[in-house]
Amino acid sequence: MFLLTLATVSTALTAPTAVTALFGPPWISIELPANPYDRATKGAFLVVHAFHHGTPMGFPVSGKAEGLVNGQRKSVELKFDRGERDGTYVLKNSWGNEGEWTLVISVTQGENDAATAVVQVSGAKVIAVDVPTEQRGDWTVPKKVTLAEIEATLKDRSTRLAARP
């Protein structure tokens, strides 16, 4: 009887941990430059890391490259290869080296939770990386990114480039 009760108490104490393990949104981070000595990331433009809190997770990753090349608006679906470590994804440049680009990369947890990295690229160089966030009480959480916000990043950069002497 004592062993059964002890096992029941032990299960009751550990069960909430399993249930709450995915409470809260995912997180995304961008690694660059990619390690050229790691065979899994060699030749990568950047590496995406997906997390739940501090734990690497194999959440789905998706994205688009939204760009302006010679005044023409372009959109390219991004393809990610899984890295060797859990929650690691490798992105190679499929959009080219010309123009202004905003890479919109999202990690999705379930149907509604996502974290999005906005990576601004000029030519073939990353000029900024941001994960937009908002406050919910005491928590800083990923914010949804709209197409209008992405368009604004491209318009702002193209305006600044046009104004250069």
Side-chain angles (χ1 to χ4, degrees):
M1 179 78 166
F2 177 71
L3 290 176
L4 179 61
T5 304
L6 186 57
T8 304
V9 170
S10 176
T11 302
L13 292 175
T14 60
T17 305
V19 171
T20 59
L22 293 180
F23 178 74
W27 189 253
I28 185 171
S29 71
I30 304 298
E31 175 188 345
L32 51 98
N35 183 350
Y37 305 115
D38 179 345
R39 66 181 171 86
T41 62
K42 189 173 185 168
F45 184 76
L46 57 80
V47 179
V48 177
H49 297 280
F51 297 96
H52 180 78
H53 295 280
T55 305
M57 300 292 284
F59 292 140
V61 174
S62 62
K64 277 193 170 186
E66 303 289 349
L68 282 172
V69 180
N70 298 321
Q72 299 293 321
R73 184 69 172 77
K74 299 199 180 245
S75 185
V76 176
E77 198 74 32
L78 299 176
K79 180 184 177 294
F80 299 87
D81 296 320
R82 280 194 176 267
E84 291 182 346
R85 290 170 282 161
D86 199 24
T88 301
Y89 300 86
V90 177
L91 177 66
K92 295 190 176 176
N93 183 340
S94 60
W95 56 91
N97 294 329
E98 302 297 319
E100 299 297 313
W101 293 89
T102 298
L103 310 181
V104 184
I105 304 169
S106 295
V107 168
T108 307
Q109 172 185 298
E111 292 184 25
N112 298 317
D113 282 335
T116 302
V118 179
V119 181
Q120 295 183 41
V121 180
S122 185
K125 299 271 186 198
V126 172
I127 58 172
V129 176
D130 184 34
V131 177
T133 60
E134 60 188 5
Q135 285 299 126
R136 288 192 199 151
D138 292 337
W139 293 93
T140 301
V141 297
K143 178 183 159 221
K144 291 190 187 284
V145 178
T146 66
L147 186 56
E149 291 169 319
I150 301 308
E151 294 294 337
T153 67
L154 291 170
K155 183 177 179 184
D156 180 54
R157 280 185 284 151
S158 65
T159 302
R160 278 187 280 148
L161 286 173
R164 284 187 188 169

